[in-house]
Amino acid sequence: MKRKIAVTGLGVISPLGNEVEGFWASLLAGKSGVGPVTKFDASSLEARIAAEVRGFDPSLWMDRKEARKMALFSQYAVAAAAQAWQDARLDPDGLGAYDPERIGICLGNGIGGLEIFQESYAKLLSSGADRMPPMTVPMMIANEAAANVAISLGVRGPALTQVTACASGTDAIGMAIDLIRSGRADMVLAGGCEAAVTAFAMGGFCRLKALSTSRNDDPEKASRPFDADRDGFVIGEGAAVLILEDYDGALRRGARVYALASGYGSTCDAYHLTAPDPSGIQGARALGLALEDAGLKADAVGYYNAHGTSTQLNDSIETAMVKRAFGAHASSLRISSTKSMLGHALGAAGALEALICVKAIETSALPPTINLDNPDRAQGCDLDYIPNRAVNAEIDAALSASLGFGGHNAALAFTRA
């Protein structure tokens, strides 16, 4: 019999707030976190907007001296993990009922410390390799976030980094589910982190013609999943961490249980490096695997948080994927893409969206897809995407899905405890 896994702690750093309640309230209010790029001069780029984290003060969550040794994506992860640890009501000076060697970390990340790479490469070109900052490599590499979270909390179980592009955060939570079920851990801090609002990343995505470029003067309207007038995604950033633990252990320590992490599915299109398979077959199979893993029938799911990037290919293919996976229930399924408000946080996106599913179950409120003024019915986007206004709905099960470059598909199922 599979071990039941409780979600007992939540932490977030995001374009809509750097703590969970404010983040959730902003989502339900339909606020946009998209604005002009402020982190660098983007005037030469076709896309000059992003969903940036604002007002982030690392000293609230870590020592300033230690923060200076971390890339920004790692700072976000440590801050979100500290929030989740506190939210789970774990002893700040000790691990209570858990052996620190039985507590793991699984974090998804797409790109690593891009700003460190960019700054160090500029130094290489201007002054030579012998003048590069000595911490370039340890600050840049993608596993730095998981390592720093482990150091900050003193946990010594598996500390793993998942890199599957935009599916990274979802896959990391799936890995955490597997670690607990297999008996290799009793508790795992799981999620994703990204800080890719840099000239390097935005320049690269502009060259791919992937970013929205038509609304630089009206940034809050730029991310418009499933809308006929969408023209690309808006890059975002942030981190989300969920604390998953053995359900019986959570009950023994009197933990608050938000929901159960009940199912995980993962597949690969094996089709194209950047484009999803037009059939959506493998994406649908990932959803089906998550449902099967959770022991759910399709019609038991009340809410689906879509990958919903606001690109032409993703939104129509994902809709076809949902129809294939959910069958007749697809027409009554409540769906939203919160990337309409948060932008696309790449390796952190799936973790943010998993947290949103947990909050939807806890609060019986479903966030909207903003900017959905003209659904793209010509491309098959004809489902209930909760346009523009949140709705109240008590749900017992929610799914989220992520689709990454390389054809990575991942899905998670959460259920009411």
Side-chain angles (χ1 to χ4, degrees):
M1 185 175 178
K2 292 176 181 176
R3 296 173 82 181
K4 290 170 68 175
I5 299 171
V7 181
T8 59
L10 304 173
V12 71
I13 300 294
S14 83
L16 287 178
N18 299 325
E19 44 79 30
V20 172
E21 291 311 312
F23 166 78
W24 185 239
S26 292
L27 282 173
L28 294 182
K31 293 179 65 174
S32 173
V34 181
V37 171
T38 65
K39 294 194 170 190
F40 66 95
D41 180 2
S43 59
S44 65
L45 295 178
E46 288 182 273
R48 300 185 290 277
I49 58 175
E52 297 180 342
V53 169
R54 298 176 179 85
F56 175 65
D57 181 357
S59 68
L60 295 174
W61 305 106
M62 67 202 83
D63 179 77
R64 286 185 182 274
K65 184 177 179 181
E66 294 303 312
R68 286 196 292 270
K69 299 175 185 175
M70 301 180 201
L72 190 56
F73 81 103
S74 190
Q75 292 181 17
Y76 290 166
V78 170
Q83 288 179 42
W85 190 263
Q86 185 179 86
D87 185 50
R89 301 169 184 170
L90 292 158
D91 182 352
D93 300 315
L95 304 178
Y98 289 98
D99 179 346
E101 295 181 358
R102 302 278 303 165
I103 299 176
I105 297 162
C106 291
L107 289 181
N109 177 252
I111 303 178
L114 267 186
E115 83 281 12
I116 304 300
F117 172 82
Q118 186 174 289
E119 293 163 8
S120 294
Y121 189 64
K123 193 71 171 178
L124 168 70
L125 295 180
S126 66
S127 304
D130 62 335
R131 306 303 298 170
M132 289 171 61
M135 289 291 287
T136 293
V137 171
M139 291 178 70
M140 182 181 73
I141 52 180
N143 72 301
E144 180 211 2
N148 275 308
V149 171
I151 291 167
S152 69
L153 296 174
V155 300
R156 297 189 288 277
L160 307 176
T161 300
Q162 177 70 32
V163 182
T164 44
C166 303
S168 299
T170 300
D171 277 323
I173 296 170
M175 287 171 59
I177 291 171
D178 289 345
L179 277 177
I180 296 173
R181 282 185 180 162
S182 70
R184 287 181 286 164
D186 297 320
M187 174 186 284
V188 181
L189 291 92
C193 52
E194 201 81 87
V197 183
T198 65
F200 189 91
M202 288 192 65
F205 280 122
C206 279
R207 295 293 292 162
L208 274 176
K209 304 297 182 184
L211 298 182
S212 173
T213 59
S214 65
R215 293 178 175 83
N216 289 315
D217 296 327
D218 193 11
E220 294 185 357
K221 299 290 186 182
S223 184
R224 39 197 324 112
F226 307 109
D227 191 86
D229 297 324
R230 67 193 184 278
D231 73 322
F233 77 85
V234 175
I235 196 167
E237 60 176 357
V241 172
L242 287 66
I243 290 186
L244 309 186
E245 61 181 296
D246 175 75
Y247 182 72
D248 292 336
L251 293 185
R252 280 194 299 272
R253 73 176 186 88
R256 170 186 50 197
V257 177
Y258 284 106
L260 301 179
S262 299
Y264 168 55
S266 178
T267 65
C268 185
D269 288 347
Y271 172 77
H272 191 275
L273 195 58
T274 60
D277 181 348
S279 74
I281 289 173
Q282 295 305 321
R285 191 165 72 88
L287 290 175
L289 289 170
L291 288 170
E292 181 182 354
D293 194 34
L296 290 170
K297 293 183 178 180
D299 61 6
V301 177
Y303 173 63
Y304 172 72
N305 189 289
H307 188 57
T309 58
S310 186
T311 62
Q312 288 292 329
L313 284 177
N314 177 93
D315 296 358
S316 58
I317 292 172
E318 186 176 13
T319 299
M321 175 184 107
V322 168
K323 291 175 180 177
R324 182 185 292 269
F326 287 93
H329 181 56
S331 61
S332 55
L333 181 64
R334 293 284 180 77
I335 302 167
S336 65
S337 171
T338 42
K339 288 184 178 71
S340 59
M341 296 171 276
L342 296 170
H344 188 357
L346 310 178
L352 289 161
E353 290 152 13
L355 187 152
I356 289 165
C357 285
V358 170
K359 290 294 292 182
I361 291 171
E362 182 212 4
T363 65
S364 299
L366 309 180
T369 304
I370 68 168
N371 302 323
L372 183 52
D373 303 323
N374 181 23
D376 192 359
R377 299 183 190 281
Q379 294 296 319
C381 299
D382 56 0
L383 299 178
D384 179 359
Y385 307 109
I386 314 181
N388 296 311
R389 294 183 185 277
V391 297
N392 294 320
E394 185 171 320
I395 59 170
D396 293 320
L399 255 68
S400 64
S402 299
L403 316 177
F405 275 6
H408 300 289
N409 308 299
L412 293 166
F414 296 93
T415 56
R416 186 175 297 279

